[in-house]
Amino acid sequence: MTNIENRKFIALDISGKNYLSWVLDVKLHLSAKKLRHTIDEDNAASNEERATALIFLMHHIDDGLKYEYLTVENPLELWQNLNDRFEHLKAVVLPNALNDWSQLRFQDFKTVSEYNSTLFKTVS
């Protein structure tokens, strides 16, 4: 049991609500493990590198997504499938968050905690 690796960051939710932050975390961690090239087009990754990257990706997605992509054996294919499924969130979530950010004013709140709560919600 001690060999089971803990998650390095929050797993990708099945709804995709944390997709944008998840992508950043995955890219950073794969870069640190020298496996970033496994999710790039036309890569020359070895079978061991692909397997390690796939295990890492599967470990950091929701169980529902794991079962859906159970037959995927290539980290690039999994990465592209998840991208196709959730990439539209950039077009939907990001403009809304930028608008909320530009409209955020400290003087519109009665307490600092209300402001902080709204601020952290917008940032996340």
Side-chain angles (χ1 to χ4, degrees):
M1 285 297 220
T2 58
N3 291 339
I4 295 176
E5 187 175 332
N6 291 331
R7 286 190 173 132
K8 305 289 185 192
F9 48 88
I10 297 173
L12 176 61
D13 188 63
I14 195 162
S15 69
K17 67 182 178 185
N18 64 333
Y19 176 72
L20 298 175
S21 62
W22 180 84
V23 166
L24 179 63
D25 288 336
V26 167
K27 286 181 178 179
L28 290 172
H29 280 82
L30 286 178
S31 293
K33 293 179 177 242
K34 297 183 180 5
L35 295 171
R36 171 82 183 265
H37 63 283
T38 59
I39 59 171
D40 293 335
E41 291 284 337
D42 301 324
N43 66 64
S46 68
N47 287 338
E48 291 99 18
E49 290 174 329
R50 285 188 183 125
T52 304
L54 187 61
I55 290 168
F56 180 81
L57 288 172
M58 287 294 209
H59 187 68
H60 289 88
I61 61 175
D62 184 78
D63 288 339
L65 290 171
K66 273 184 203 174
Y67 295 125
E68 188 170 335
Y69 297 109
L70 194 59
T71 59
V72 175
E73 295 180 359
N74 187 345
L76 174 60
E77 184 182 347
L78 178 60
W79 184 259
Q80 289 172 335
N81 288 341
L82 293 172
N83 187 38
D84 292 344
R85 181 176 181 150
F86 297 119
E87 184 67 20
H88 71 282
L89 292 176
K90 281 186 183 177
V92 175
V93 174
L94 190 56
N96 190 21
L98 290 173
N99 183 48
D100 290 348
W101 181 258
S102 67
Q103 302 295 323
L104 188 66
R105 296 182 338 164
F106 184 73
Q107 61 197 27
D108 291 339
F109 297 91
K110 292 180 180 177
T111 65
V112 173
S113 63
E114 286 178 34
Y115 173 78
N116 283 340
S117 176
T118 304
L119 173 75
F120 291 127
K121 180 179 154 190
T122 301
V123 169
S124 69

